[in-house]
Amino acid sequence: MSGSSEDGSAPEPYDATPYLPSRGGLPAHQRAAADCQGCPLHRDATRTVFGRGGSDARLMLVGEQPGDQEDREGVPFVGPAGRLLSRALREAGIDEDGLYVTNAVKHFKFTRDETRKRRIHKTPSLRETVACRPWLMAELRLVSPELVVVLGATAGRALLGPSFRVGADRGVPRPLPGAEDGPRVLATVHPSAVLRARDRDAAYAGLVADLRTAAEAL
């Protein structure tokens, strides 16, 4: 993206920070996030999709962004990838009721397929991910989990930096950079990557194995 707008003025800032409340817990942050205009993604999305779960969760899952169904319902991980994730969590011995689940980016980014009349997921840019990071960091502070599982590259880069690669960094708990007393972070693939995989059984088995490692780390 260029460093200035077409008329030569300064580019529109991408930053959710001005929309965060100065006080309050998860409910106050969820209400404030509904009005977030920290990047242009809010213009086309139906709504902000904030995290779900209690502030006492020991384990937090962080995905990429809402999908089409999540955008319509306002809840993360309720579409096909969410159903696959729920099954993998059960097989890994993790109680989904005790989790906090969220996304690195809170609005659905998509392109329109006019032929098939549907909205197709589009990966958020680094700039959009960084703009939304204040919400994610607020959730981390308010929940204070022992372990964070990042699902896929966008979530991994949001917390572990732009050099993160799923294939190289998955399956091993590590400290959260810049947070001496913060949670450990374990990376794995996003459930949607399992759905797209050529060998879906192998990809699913890898996801379950990483989630079992997360359960053991707790």
Side-chain angles (χ1 to χ4, degrees):
M1 195 153 189
S2 64
S4 63
S5 63
E6 291 182 4
D7 62 4
S9 61
E12 179 183 7
Y14 283 23
D15 185 8
T17 302
Y19 300 91
L20 268 70
S22 59
R23 64 184 68 184
L26 288 171
H29 282 70
Q30 185 168 13
R31 289 192 297 270
D35 296 322
C36 185
Q37 299 180 17
C39 81
L41 295 185
H42 74 92
R43 296 172 185 162
D44 295 324
T46 305
R47 71 192 84 237
T48 305
V49 181
F50 203 71
R52 60 177 169 88
S55 59
D56 59 349
R58 297 174 62 205
L59 178 61
M60 177 185 285
L61 303 184
V62 180
E64 179 189 77
Q65 65 158 340
D68 181 80
Q69 192 168 333
E70 288 83 1
D71 175 70
R72 297 178 192 279
E73 297 187 25
V75 182
F77 285 100
V78 293
R83 291 191 289 273
L84 184 143
L85 177 61
S86 293
R87 179 161 62 94
L89 288 166
R90 288 194 299 272
E91 290 193 27
I94 296 173
D95 181 4
E96 196 169 358
D97 290 337
L99 302 177
Y100 187 86
V101 183
T102 192
N103 283 299
V105 174
K106 310 303 187 194
H107 286 113
F108 180 34
K109 183 176 183 177
F110 59 90
T111 58
R112 295 187 184 275
D113 182 341
E114 297 298 342
T115 302
R116 303 174 73 176
K117 302 298 182 184
R118 62 185 184 131
R119 302 183 299 175
I120 302 174
H121 159 277
K122 187 175 181 181
T123 301
S125 69
L126 178 60
R127 191 179 178 194
E128 291 156 349
T129 303
V130 171
C132 208
R133 193 172 187 268
W135 291 116
L136 179 58
M137 298 311 293
E139 289 172 297
L140 279 171
R141 175 177 57 82
L142 293 167
V143 177
S144 191
E146 295 176 27
L147 182 69
V148 178
V149 174
V150 292
L151 302 162
T154 297
R157 289 170 191 150
L159 286 180
L160 298 172
S163 64
F164 170 81
R165 298 292 181 272
V166 177
D169 298 324
R170 68 181 294 182
V172 179
R174 66 196 65 211
L176 178 65
E180 189 173 316
D181 298 322
R184 291 169 296 162
V185 180
L186 182 145
T188 188
V189 296
H190 195 282
S192 62
V194 175
L195 293 173
R196 296 191 304 266
R198 182 170 300 177
D199 188 343
R200 188 178 295 185
D201 289 342
Y204 178 76
L207 173 61
V208 172
D210 289 339
L211 292 175
R212 285 189 178 128
T213 299
E216 292 165 1
L218 292 172

